[in-house]
Amino acid sequence: MAKKITKKSAAKSKPKAAGKSSKYVYFFGSGKADGNGSQKALLGGKGANLHEMTRIGLPVPPGFTVTTELCTYYYDNKKSYPKVLAEQVNTALAKLEAATGKKFGDREDPLLVSVRSGARESMPGMMDTILNLGLNDETVEVLAAKSGNPRWAYDCYRRFVQMYGDVVMGVQKVGRDDHEPFDEVMDELKHKVGVTEDTDLTADHLKELVSRFNDLIKKRTGKAFPQKPIDQLWGAMGAVFGSWMNDRAIVYRRKYHIPHEWGTAVNVQTMVFGNLGDTSATGVAFTRDPASGEKVFYGEYLINAQGEDVVAGTRTPQPIAKLAQDMPKAHAELVQVCKTLETRFKDMQDFEFTIEDNKLYMLQTRNGKRTGLAAIRIAVEMVEEKVIDWKEAVGRVPADSLTQVLAPIFDRKDRDDAVKNGRLLCKGLPAGPGAASGHVVFNAEDAVERAGKGERVLLCRVETSPEDLRGMIAAEGILTARGGVSSHAALVARQMGKICVCGAQEIVVDYGARVMKVAGRTIKEGDFISIDGTLGEVYEGELKTAPSEVVQVLVAKTLDGKTSRTYQQFDKLMKWCDKIRRLGIRTNADQPDQAANAIAFGAAGIGLCRTEHMFFEGDRIYAMREMIIAETKEAREEALRKLLPLQRDDFAGIFRAMKGYPVTIRTLDPPLHEFLPQTEEAQRETAAQLGITTEKIAARVAALHEANPMLGHRGCRLGITYPEITEMQTRAILEAAIQVRKEGIPVKPEIMIVLIGFPKELQNQLEIVHRTAKQVMAEKKTKIGYMVGTMIEIPRGALCADEIAKDAEFFSFGTNDLTQTTLGMSRDDSGTFLPHYQELEIVKRNPFEAIDQDGVGQLMKIGIEKGRKTRPDIKLGICGEHGGEPSSVEFCHRVGLTYVSCSPFRVPVARLAAAQAVLKEEKAGKSREIS
Ligand code: ADP
Ligand code: MG
Ligand code: MG
């Protein structure tokens, strides 16, 4: 596993092992590179691909990479560097100077570089990049004179001072509505000289700006901006390594489960300039559309700008198609680059380029982040194009992203009505498909606050930046006024599967007044709006939602699958999954319609049918209450007789829907008090219904009160103290089975006894089940097959699984309760401390979301091993919520379960995750063969 590799490499870079021979610096340039694309762990993603692009002959400005091992060393050794580093950096620098013919701080031809971070997995916007390093009061003059373009030279210089002051010297904004200090200084100057655009500032203005920036730095930090390039370089490198542990990087890693031990690399690279005038530009592009997945050259650029302008969304860039007119040669070259990149990397690429005076340079490439919709389309189409094989395609689609394809869209008619009624406010770029409605908020803090109170919010910003990440996570959707498809907002939306419309230029946001103006209307904080991230539209108020295309085809059956490409591709992918997965997929469903949906999504059985939900419906609750309040066995049986036909009908409905697939039915589980009315008024009402006194009910409620219901009188404990409940349920199940089979539909009932810790508990219940079954069969003069098994959900059950398996024909791991009882942690009460645990990394993931493999997983393994010892062919499943979570599904595959069971809408996710578990296993097997 990835984590293990990390540990190993981290150990390697411990000071002891880091002798003089350790190579920390890797050079690339002039068609040759020390590293290559496979070295992402060592060189970071950006670094490895810069080396690879150099190797395949793409025009990459030369530079060098300082490895992630150095970062690990840095944090393992109180933020210090190994001795050999300085020498290795100096050697690389000399090589760089030789390759470019430029020199650091030179009075004739000064070398300028960028200092760029780059972790193993791209962490967009997390780490700060510094451009134009090497400029100082002297070299800027050299550049100005040499280029005959002093405006450009000073523009580079002011950008550098600004970035360095921000990232390295820490001159940053404070508080929530405050402006960036450097922007403020710039705005002041613009105001003073009477211009609105940055590009209208002259060389002298920019010179003045640099001086004001210097004053700002001095004032805020008490230190002067460093003039010596080599000092600048060390300062910048230190800041990159330092930024690995900054707050937003940590937040991001937590969200994406990236280990903190990985570390980042630093890339030092010769500058090229997209801001040299109208023959220069900079841009970001994709070899396919990352939102829809369509195979078109996609992206955007800005003329006369430096890279971060496009990404930051400060100016809205031009669509890449327009470059064909502006710079036809560069455009043609880029189209060729797309082919070269996809041929080499065999995946959709997201790349950064700069055109300096009509000459194209490549600055970065990586596998592009994409929406769930795009992930499926690209994977399936690349198989059709014979770029990858179908197994590769299965591995390409993140299992969780399938939920996006199943998420609702806006109802067409409601949307058309909204447009007719003038509620369409404006259009922007469709950056994250799907439909979202919510209250408008204008900053991340408010988003987090309101979402914490359970409100749905839409985060509306002029543009987003990494500081907004928490708010973006909390919001239903994101709307920005500026920035294109490669802006931060779009990037994050793609990655998180957030619904997003960006660059809706007609919107004017006023943070101070907490309003935005659009289409002649003023939308205030807290107002309700809706955004369609598939169409890029923004509406006033709330719109009705409708099921996604896939759901319309499979569940609602309102759409013909043949007419929906999305469905076709989804279906193809699912069929590939079914070719390789070994885990069976079942569903947790309590009602026939849920069961039918799950079958449509590909489930082959019910792994958990909870019977108690059936007792809440309509008037049934009164029969249930009558049973609970009954004082004698006879009275209880009388009440159960009323429940029997209702349960039988429910089970019959489910058996019919499941068409012969196995159905695991759980006997009554929750403590009885859950069924009783708690408020006085409800008690009065029930008393009237049952014809008894309110006092009697109140007394029963009091008697059933438990200090710790989760560990109280529930599960099989109920069936043991009230055997007639188990009797009734068994009867209902088997009578239903016999009835449905008579209708010509095969049935496979599996009765599951819950909360077993002692083998004798199970024996007690089994006696009742078998006795009742015999009776039913005798009465109906027919035989029916059924299985009886148990849920393993308390540690004692797992530990004594060998004994329990003597009687249980199957086990289903109830990992919700197993997690609660193993951790001694109530899920419902964990909200007050678990988030903090995650922050402190006491737990890596929420154990109620992803199986705690080391703890709970170990108990499962014990249960499996012991269960199989007694009963080698025992059927093993899982029915906790974990059954639809990809890492848990993989775990279940590894430990050899027969099936996983999850909620209907997670079934496709589980199918894909189960297939990916096989792929991972195959890959591991292959690498074992090689080593
Ligand atoms: P990120 O990790 O946020 O993608 P990058 O390291 O890619 O940051 O740098 C941000 C921007 O700076 C990029 O868009 C890139 O185009 C620009 N940039 C980085 N290095 C150079 C360089 N050597 N010459 C010109 N532009 C550069
Ligand atoms: Mg980049
Ligand atoms: Mg349970």
Side-chain angles (χ1 to χ4, degrees):
M1 261 179 71
K3 205 180 104 218
K4 290 206 180 112
I5 300 166
T6 314
K7 288 235 169 94
K8 245 186 260 157
S9 66
K12 226 194 288 163
S13 65
K14 288 269 156 61
K16 268 176 278 152
K20 279 222 165 60
S21 60
S22 304
K23 183 174 166 70
Y24 290 115
V25 179
Y26 285 65
F27 187 83
F28 58 90
S30 321
K32 290 205 188 84
D34 292 348
N36 65 59
S38 73
Q39 292 172 305
K40 293 202 169 57
L42 181 68
L43 304 176
K46 193 182 293 170
N49 282 353
L50 283 171
H51 286 256
E52 187 68 35
M53 284 199 293
T54 306
R55 279 173 181 258
I56 59 174
L58 288 172
V60 178
F64 57 86
T65 306
V66 184
T67 64
T68 56
E69 287 185 354
L70 197 273
C71 184
T72 312
Y73 180 103
Y74 179 77
Y75 283 107
D76 283 351
N77 292 276
K78 304 197 185 95
K79 304 193 181 177
S80 70
Y81 300 127
K83 283 207 191 67
V84 291
L85 183 68
E87 190 190 309
Q88 292 186 14
V89 167
N90 287 338
T91 308
L93 209 52
K95 242 176 142 174
L96 193 57
E97 290 177 338
T100 57
K102 298 171 194 275
K103 272 196 160 62
F104 241 2
D106 196 62
R107 298 210 176 135
E108 281 174 17
D109 203 356
L111 172 69
L112 302 191
V113 296
S114 64
V115 174
R116 322 171 62 188
S117 62
R120 185 187 307 193
E121 260 175 42
S122 72
M123 295 174 41
M126 287 299 113
M127 300 291 183
D128 297 301
T129 293
I130 292 166
L131 302 179
N132 310 328
L133 187 142
L135 280 173
N136 56 26
D137 293 347
E138 235 171 63
T139 50
V140 70
E141 290 295 344
V142 179
L143 233 59
K146 222 181 142 216
S147 64
N149 189 346
R151 192 199 172 277
W152 163 72
Y154 275 97
D155 189 45
C156 291
Y157 194 22
R158 71 94 188 159
R159 286 167 190 267
F160 174 45
V161 177
Q162 178 171 351
M163 284 185 265
Y164 199 91
D166 174 352
V167 176
V168 184
M169 305 185 77
V171 179
Q172 286 157 4
K173 70 170 178 177
V174 273
R176 56 171 80 167
D177 285 335
D178 186 10
H179 290 277
E180 299 287 345
F182 287 100
D183 285 349
E184 217 157 25
V185 171
M186 179 135 145
D187 287 344
E188 272 165 30
L189 184 79
K190 280 203 277 196
H191 187 75
K192 188 183 138 206
V193 303
V195 303
T196 51
E197 296 293 316
D198 296 6
T199 40
D200 292 336
L201 292 170
T202 65
D204 282 338
H205 293 149
L206 292 166
K207 198 167 176 176
E208 167 69 20
L209 191 58
V210 169
S211 143
R212 289 186 181 205
F213 279 175
N214 272 310
D215 292 345
L216 173 71
I217 292 174
K218 192 77 207 239
K219 201 173 99 205
R220 284 276 193 103
T221 68
K223 284 187 220 138
F225 170 79
Q227 288 285 320
K228 265 172 78 181
I230 190 77
D231 295 344
Q232 296 171 350
L233 180 62
W234 285 102
M237 291 201 318
V240 173
F241 288 131
S243 71
W244 177 252
M245 286 295 176
N246 76 24
D247 189 43
R248 43 187 226 233
I250 292 172
V251 170
Y252 183 91
R253 286 200 292 275
R254 194 170 298 133
K255 168 116 180 124
Y256 290 99
H257 317 297
I258 296 174
H260 295 313
E261 305 92 75
W262 279 9
T264 179
V266 173
N267 297 289
V268 177
Q269 188 176 26
T270 313
M271 282 301 302
V272 289
F273 299 97
N275 56 344
L276 264 176
D278 288 345
T279 54
S280 301
T282 184
V284 176
F286 300 85
T287 55
R288 302 180 191 228
D289 182 337
S292 72
E294 190 185 348
K295 192 180 182 187
V296 285
F297 180 31
Y298 199 78
E300 50 203 15
Y301 68 101
L302 278 172
I303 297 236
N304 198 12
Q306 263 193 341
E308 86 279 22
D309 297 353
V310 182
V311 186
T314 31
R315 281 162 64 192
T316 297
Q318 302 290 327
I320 202 86
K322 209 175 154 270
L323 191 69
Q325 294 147 36
D326 287 346
M327 298 178 194
K329 198 175 135 267
H331 184 267
E333 238 177 293
L334 279 169
V335 170
Q336 193 51 48
V337 163
C338 283
K339 287 202 186 110
T340 310
L341 287 176
E342 281 208 354
T343 308
R344 169 60 190 80
F345 293 100
K346 305 210 180 309
D347 197 356
M348 186 263 275
Q349 296 294 295
D350 161 357
F351 61 94
E352 296 175 1
F353 64 91
T354 282
I355 301 166
E356 176 180 311
D357 202 9
N358 285 318
K359 166 129 186 47
L360 174 71
Y361 291 97
M362 293 295 292
L363 290 173
Q364 186 176 329
T365 191
R366 60 186 169 207
N367 295 340
K369 296 275 192 274
R370 60 207 76 182
T371 64
L373 209 66
I376 295 178
R377 180 160 181 183
I378 292 171
V380 171
E381 290 184 357
M382 280 195 159
V383 174
E384 289 160 0
E385 292 161 24
K386 301 200 164 44
V387 179
I388 56 174
D389 63 21
W390 64 268
K391 276 193 185 177
E392 182 72 32
V394 169
R396 287 277 174 90
V397 181
D400 253 332
S401 73
L402 285 182
T403 50
Q404 284 176 48
V405 185
L406 304 179
I409 53 181
F410 284 131
D411 179 81
R412 279 300 125 219
K413 190 179 167 304
D414 207 40
R415 180 252 167 207
D416 292 346
D417 286 350
V419 175
K420 251 186 252 150
N421 300 333
R423 282 164 58 207
L424 175 63
L425 294 174
C426 62
K427 285 195 167 210
L429 294 165
S437 301
H439 300 280
V440 170
V441 290
F442 292 107
N443 64 56
E445 286 82 356
D446 290 339
V448 172
E449 241 169 71
R450 280 182 177 242
K453 291 185 203 139
E455 269 180 45
R456 283 183 297 152
V457 298
L458 286 181
L459 181 62
C460 305
R461 303 276 304 163
V462 175
E463 64 207 76
T464 62
S465 73
E467 286 100 75
D468 298 324
L469 206 57
R470 282 173 198 268
M472 297 168 91
I473 293 171
E476 301 288 315
I478 302 158
L479 170 63
T480 68
R482 256 186 284 172
V485 283
S486 60
S487 66
H488 179 262
L491 214 78
V492 172
R494 268 199 294 282
Q495 206 162 359
M496 293 197 215
K498 281 273 157 176
I499 291 140
C500 175
V501 173
C502 64
Q505 301 193 45
E506 288 159 50
I507 294 179
V508 180
V509 181
D510 184 341
Y511 290 135
R514 296 180 177 241
V515 298
M516 62 183 187
K517 294 203 167 130
V518 58
R521 262 161 283 186
T522 302
I523 311 279
K524 295 188 299 298
E525 179 185 278
D527 286 353
F528 219 83
I529 63 166
S530 301
I531 59 172
D532 185 326
T534 317
L535 297 172
E537 297 181 338
V538 183
Y539 320 89
E540 199 171 16
E542 186 163 15
L543 292 192
K544 261 199 230 118
T545 51
S548 73
E549 281 188 26
V550 171
V551 175
Q552 285 184 39
V553 173
L554 289 177
V555 178
K557 309 214 161 46
T558 50
L559 188 68
D560 180 2
K562 285 191 211 82
T563 65
S564 164
R565 195 198 43 244
T566 305
Y567 167 74
Q568 294 280 333
Q569 293 181 335
F570 167 86
D571 187 50
K572 209 166 198 175
L573 181 73
M574 287 292 110
K575 291 207 168 105
W576 288 333
C577 292
D578 296 347
K579 273 213 296 214
I580 35 172
R581 71 177 162 88
R582 293 202 300 275
L583 265 179
I585 311 288
R586 294 196 188 183
T587 192
N588 301 345
D590 310 333
Q591 291 163 10
D593 58 332
Q594 293 171 355
N597 292 352
I599 292 189
F601 282 135
I606 290 183
L608 175 63
C609 173
R610 304 177 189 82
T611 53
E612 54 273 11
H613 292 282
M614 303 174 174
F615 295 122
F616 282 107
E617 240 172 65
D619 288 344
R620 300 173 177 198
I621 188 72
Y622 294 113
M624 186 67 183
R625 286 174 181 166
E626 194 183 327
M627 191 274 290
I628 296 169
I629 285 161
E631 275 167 350
T632 60
K633 189 165 184 275
E634 288 69 40
R636 201 157 33 246
E637 280 176 346
E638 174 58 33
L640 284 167
R641 254 194 296 281
K642 287 186 199 157
L643 287 168
L644 174 70
L646 304 172
Q647 281 236 299
R648 190 175 49 214
D649 282 357
D650 286 335
F651 292 139
I654 287 176
F655 287 138
R656 274 184 211 110
M658 290 313 283
K659 301 182 180 119
Y661 286 126
V663 179
T664 305
I665 296 166
R666 174 174 83 175
T667 49
L668 191 66
D669 185 34
L672 295 178
H673 78 88
E674 277 193 17
F675 298 99
L676 288 183
Q678 300 298 326
T679 64
E680 224 189 283
E681 199 197 313
Q683 290 178 1
R684 227 176 296 127
E685 204 179 290
T686 305
Q689 279 280 345
L690 300 184
I692 51 173
T693 63
T694 315
E695 287 71 36
K696 203 163 188 180
I697 295 206
R700 196 70 182 124
V701 169
L704 286 174
H705 174 80
E706 287 179 314
N708 229 328
M710 184 194 111
L711 304 175
H713 193 180
R714 56 170 287 215
C716 68
R717 297 161 198 172
L718 292 172
I720 288 170
T721 44
Y722 302 117
E724 50 282 7
I725 299 180
T726 309
E727 240 166 60
M728 183 278 281
Q729 292 204 296
T730 305
R731 181 170 280 277
I733 293 167
L734 294 181
E735 286 183 0
I738 291 169
Q739 181 185 327
V740 172
R741 195 185 52 186
K742 228 187 239 159
E743 296 164 14
I745 302 169
V747 278
K748 273 199 196 131
E750 300 176 349
I751 300 173
M752 178 156 70
I753 311 294
V754 277
L755 216 73
I756 295 291
F758 300 93
K760 284 221 164 111
E761 289 175 315
L762 183 60
Q763 285 157 17
N764 173 295
Q765 292 293 288
L766 272 182
E767 191 276 321
I768 300 172
V769 171
H770 290 318
R771 173 165 42 80
T772 311
K774 241 192 220 148
Q775 272 170 22
V776 172
M777 288 189 230
E779 285 162 25
K780 305 274 171 199
K781 299 196 179 57
T782 179
K783 285 212 151 39
I784 185 118
Y786 66 95
M787 281 173 91
V788 192
T790 178
M791 194 126 141
I792 300 287
E793 55 182 336
I794 49 180
R796 198 179 200 283
L799 296 172
C800 303
D802 43 354
E803 284 300 311
I804 292 175
K806 284 183 182 157
D807 300 301
E809 293 172 271
F810 65 86
F811 286 168
S812 176
F813 288 93
T815 47
N816 294 349
D817 268 323
L818 191 59
T819 301
Q820 297 201 95
T821 50
T822 302
L823 271 56
M825 186 186 283
S826 145
R827 178 173 63 174
D828 300 335
D829 299 316
S830 63
T832 45
F833 55 89
L834 206 50
H836 198 53
Y837 268 41
Q838 278 175 276
E839 229 150 86
L840 295 174
E841 295 194 50
I842 293 172
V843 294
K844 278 235 155 71
R845 302 207 35 192
N846 180 338
F848 296 109
E849 227 168 78
I851 287 180
D852 158 38
Q853 299 186 9
D854 297 338
V856 175
Q858 207 178 128
L859 273 173
M860 288 174 67
K861 281 190 208 160
I862 292 170
I864 292 166
E865 199 181 301
K866 292 200 155 187
R868 283 217 175 108
K869 217 181 253 163
T870 325
R871 194 185 286 268
D873 61 344
I874 190 162
K875 260 215 265 183
L876 299 164
I878 179 178
C879 60
E881 226 108 308
H882 302 99
E885 188 281 322
S887 76
S888 309
V889 172
E890 196 218 319
F891 177 78
C892 292
H893 171 88
R894 253 193 352 255
V895 298
L897 293 195
T898 321
Y899 67 85
V900 294
S901 187
C902 57
S903 62
F905 274 68
R906 299 296 293 185
V907 165
V909 175
R911 279 163 92 186
L912 181 50
Q916 289 176 341
V918 176
L919 291 178
K920 200 161 165 189
E921 192 178 78
E922 285 179 359
K923 234 179 227 164
K926 254 183 218 140
S927 67
R928 257 201 306 279
E929 273 164 36
I930 292 165
S931 64

